[in-house]
Amino acid sequence: MSEAMDALEARVHRQLNLMHDLADRLAAIRVRETSPDGTVTAEVDGNGALCDLVLAPAISAMSPSEFESVVVATAGRAAHLAITRRGELVEAFNTELAESMPGYDSGH
C-alpha cells in the first residue's frame, strides 16, 4: 500500500508542478508587434491586453482615421500572436497532464 501511495503522491506533485509551470509561462507571455511603416509598436500580454504602446513622431502626419487603423491593426496582430502562443502552451500542458495520468495510452 505504501508503494501505491508513494506513486500517487509523486503523480500529484508532478501534476501540481505542471500547473505552476503553466501559470508561470502564461504570465510571462509578452508579444511586441510593430506596424509595417514603423510608426506604432504594441506590446500585449498573454491575454491580449495592451501593456505598452510606442508611437513614432511620424504619427503626427497621419489623419485620425489612419492613426486609429494602424494602432488597432498592430495591437490586433500582437494579440493574435499572444493568444496563439497561449493556446500552444495550454495544448502542451494538456498533453503532459494526460501523459501523467494512470492508464494513459498515446495510441501507439
Side-chain angles (χ1 to χ4, degrees):
M1 176 100 129
S2 177
E3 190 174 313
M5 197 60 144
D6 290 344
L8 174 62
E9 184 178 357
R11 188 174 67 248
V12 168
H13 280 294
R14 175 167 159 59
Q15 291 172 347
L16 185 59
N17 288 336
L18 287 172
M19 287 186 259
H20 285 296
D21 187 45
L22 175 63
D24 291 344
R25 289 175 184 230
L26 291 175
I29 294 174
R30 291 289 183 274
V31 174
R32 288 181 72 83
E33 184 71 17
T34 300
S35 62
D37 63 3
T39 58
V40 174
T41 299
E43 181 176 342
V44 300
D45 66 13
N47 294 317
L50 190 62
C51 299
D52 192 20
L53 186 64
V54 178
L55 307 174
I59 64 159
S60 62
M62 295 178 167
S63 70
S65 174
E66 290 170 326
F67 174 71
E68 176 187 2
S69 292
V70 171
V71 169
V72 170
T74 304
R77 281 192 308 275
H80 174 76
L81 293 170
I83 297 300
T84 298
R85 179 65 183 136
R86 182 181 183 90
E88 291 166 352
L89 290 173
V90 169
E91 188 174 317
F93 166 79
N94 287 338
T95 299
E96 284 186 78
L97 189 63
E99 290 171 354
S100 74
M101 300 299 281
Y104 172 76
D105 180 9
S106 66
H108 292 80

